[in-house]
Amino acid sequence: MTEADPSQTARPFDYLIVGAGFAGSVLAERLASVGKRVLIVDRRPHIGGNAYDAYDDAGVLIHPYGPHIFHTNSRDVFEYLSQFTEWRPYQHRVLASVDGQLLPIPINLDTVNRLYGLNLTSFQVEEFFASVAEKVGQVRTSEDVVVSKVGRDLYNKFFRGYTRKQWGLDPSELDASVTARVPTRTNRDDRYFADTFQAMPLHGYTRMFQNLLGHPNIKVMLNTDYREIRHLMPHSHLIYTGPVDAFFDHRYGKLPYRSLEFRHETHDAEQLFPVGTVNFPNDYAYTRVSEFKHITGQRHHRTSVVYEYPQAEGDPYYPVPRPENAELYKKYEALAEAESGVTFVGRLATYRYYNMDQVVAQALATFRRLQGEKV
Ligand code: FAD
Ligand code: UDP
């Protein structure tokens, strides 16, 4: 064994990165690849952020923070991540439990025919939507988006209850962008996502994160809040991926984030549900249940599922897109921009309802900017 060169070990870190989720890990990898020394810390006992996966006691691969399905239209993002994982093609399908039936969501031709006992063609269902759609001047809210496309009845059955449960708000109180995530279709396509690239990391997310963070220039410190070590570990620049309001000690008050409680169960059966996720818009306190083996492709004689119970308090999972929150975020954003030597990136730090691929794209863009600025 050779002894460590003391001049090397004494060198301060170029970057301290807070959070080992997608935002932090992608930046750590990119910066390490150009010779920067990076310390990445997370207060949780694992890497991967909310995308972390692990085998449960039964040996089933689960997502402890809820089902994570990778999908993107960005070739750049897909090719970037492909350096760190192989993939298993997977197209997610979701059924909604409505009026005693399990019906495809996004609403498509089959949803309408089965719900109403009809036998419409694609052309006819388009006419049907046009006949029930409500006239909305300017589409501003999550209610407007849906009623202006598919009318009040489908809105009430599929969106109103789910949204009130998930957000603790009526759809009329949320930006249009929230329910606009779920399209309406006149064909029989029953895939939840329509993106060009839809696949799961072949050996799981955690393995992919291990590969991202495997560079010798990267040191990983878990179970550590950055505030405990920030002043002990000299560094030239800080990258922060936690909640932006917490960074500034909630100076302007708390930014609302929606939380979830996860109820994980393992059953002595090969399979419990016909698809990866079943939504319950109108019954129960949970919004949905997901069965991991559909998503991961794992074969096992038992099966593990997770129920999601929305909560106001708890770990922050979702920014809440509505005008008053955007106003409050703007004040924090101004503080963030004025903060020298700190870069804010990721879903919680930029208060954006981003999917994983969007966070990767944001992190890659941030890297290019940091390189340009030579910080
Ligand atoms: P995070 O993953 O939240 O990472 C931030 C990290 O910072 C955390 O690990 C946290 O512990 C750490 N941290 C915070 N504060 C501190 C501190 N003070 N000190 C140290 N560490 C700190 N996206 C998809 O594309 N497809 C999906 O199917 C999908 N499903 C989802 C399901 C659920 C239930 C949820 C909640 C999200 C889902 N997402 C999905 C979104 C996805 O989780 C995020 O886009 C992505 O994980 C965000 O990455 P991030 O690095 O910005 O944040
Ligand atoms: N939504 C709904 N009914 C559904 C599915 C979604 O009302 O069956 C609404 C709800 O407001 C939800 C939003 O659409 O929060 C976005 O759904 P998505 O499945 O993208 O949510 P996520 O996976 O991010 O929790």
Side-chain angles (χ1 to χ4, degrees):
M1 219 171 80
T2 53
E3 255 180 57
D5 173 354
S7 67
Q8 281 296 312
T9 50
R11 249 177 73 205
F13 289 101
D14 296 308
Y15 286 86
L16 171 59
I17 300 184
V18 181
F22 268 103
S25 300
V26 166
L27 272 159
E29 185 285 324
R30 286 291 70 212
L31 291 164
S33 78
V34 294
K36 302 293 183 190
R37 281 167 43 82
V38 177
L39 172 62
I40 184 166
V41 300
D42 204 300
R43 60 182 170 203
R44 288 171 168 167
H46 57 73
I47 58 175
N50 287 335
Y52 167 71
D53 56 14
Y55 289 88
D56 66 12
D57 291 344
V60 180
L61 184 60
I62 64 160
H63 300 172
Y65 304 101
H68 278 70
I69 295 107
F70 187 82
H71 56 100
T72 188
N73 283 318
S74 165
R75 178 173 293 278
D76 283 353
V77 166
F78 192 70
E79 284 180 355
Y80 170 73
L81 291 177
S82 300
Q83 299 172 77
F84 309 99
T85 187
E86 292 169 68
W87 300 96
R88 164 184 176 263
Y90 172 68
Q91 298 192 316
H92 195 50
R93 286 182 168 77
V94 180
L95 294 170
S97 170
V98 171
D99 291 354
Q101 297 195 70
L102 291 181
L103 300 170
I105 177 89
I107 292 172
N108 69 10
L109 177 61
D110 289 322
T111 314
V112 173
N113 280 336
R114 289 179 48 204
L115 180 69
Y116 296 120
L118 298 171
N119 198 12
L120 304 179
T121 62
S122 282
F123 179 71
Q124 289 168 323
V125 84
E126 229 167 277
E127 290 181 332
F128 170 81
F129 286 148
S131 73
V132 292
E134 290 185 10
K135 276 215 163 54
V136 174
Q138 196 199 353
V139 173
R140 273 186 314 106
T141 72
S142 269
E143 175 181 336
D144 297 342
V145 173
V146 183
V147 297
S148 67
K149 265 199 215 139
V150 299
R152 189 66 50 179
D153 194 48
L154 289 167
Y155 164 75
N156 283 335
K157 286 182 155 68
F158 288 86
F159 286 90
R160 184 166 179 270
Y162 187 110
T163 301
R164 290 173 71 98
K165 240 192 297 193
Q166 169 71 11
W167 301 95
L169 293 168
D170 190 80
S172 61
E173 299 171 295
L174 279 165
D175 286 0
S177 59
V178 176
T179 51
R181 289 168 61 90
V182 183
T184 306
R185 302 195 179 120
T186 53
N187 58 19
R188 307 187 63 194
D189 184 355
D190 64 347
R191 297 169 308 157
Y192 202 64
F193 307 110
D195 302 53
T196 316
F197 303 96
Q198 303 189 40
M200 293 294 294
L202 185 61
H203 303 291
Y205 289 99
T206 301
R207 182 80 77 83
M208 181 176 77
F209 279 94
Q210 284 166 350
N211 293 336
L212 274 162
L213 297 174
H215 197 286
N217 287 356
I218 302 175
K219 301 286 173 254
V220 181
M221 191 182 265
L222 300 176
N223 296 308
T224 306
D225 193 303
Y226 79 104
R227 286 168 292 205
E228 297 170 59
I229 55 99
R230 184 178 183 178
H231 299 291
L232 305 175
M233 297 287 188
H235 55 275
S236 310
H237 195 91
L238 184 80
I239 292 175
Y240 180 80
T241 77
V244 62
D245 56 339
F247 185 89
F248 295 105
D249 299 320
H250 307 103
R251 192 178 306 173
Y252 299 128
K254 278 194 166 178
L255 256 179
Y257 293 93
R258 194 69 174 159
S259 189
L260 293 171
E261 217 170 278
F262 300 101
R263 177 160 62 92
H264 287 272
E265 290 178 356
T266 300
H267 293 259
D268 285 322
E270 282 271 334
Q271 188 181 304
L272 281 195
F273 299 105
V275 289
T277 297
V278 177
N279 288 356
F280 295 89
N282 306 310
D283 314 295
Y284 313 117
Y286 47 84
T287 48
R288 60 186 178 189
V289 56
S290 299
E291 184 168 16
F292 292 108
K293 281 164 58 189
H294 289 283
I295 298 168
T296 60
Q298 187 184 3
R299 293 188 160 196
H300 197 287
H301 62 285
R302 300 178 80 192
T303 191
S304 295
V305 298
V306 64
Y307 292 84
E308 295 174 45
Y309 292 80
Q311 317 275 325
E313 299 301 324
D315 280 357
Y317 290 125
Y318 292 83
V320 182
R322 60 192 306 227
E324 45 269 67
N325 299 350
E327 280 302 302
L328 181 55
Y329 169 62
K330 263 196 210 139
K331 292 169 76 174
Y332 281 111
E333 190 182 25
L335 288 181
E337 275 164 10
E339 189 80 19
S340 71
V342 185
T343 300
F344 294 78
V345 53
R347 173 153 145 147
L348 304 175
T350 61
Y351 206 66
R352 290 194 173 90
Y353 187 176
Y354 271 172
N355 295 325
M356 295 180 280
D357 65 316
Q358 295 171 299
V359 172
V360 173
Q362 189 192 38
L364 293 175
T366 304
F367 169 68
R368 287 191 293 271
R369 192 161 48 74
L370 291 172
Q371 280 293 93
E373 290 169 9
K374 290 272 178 285
V375 286

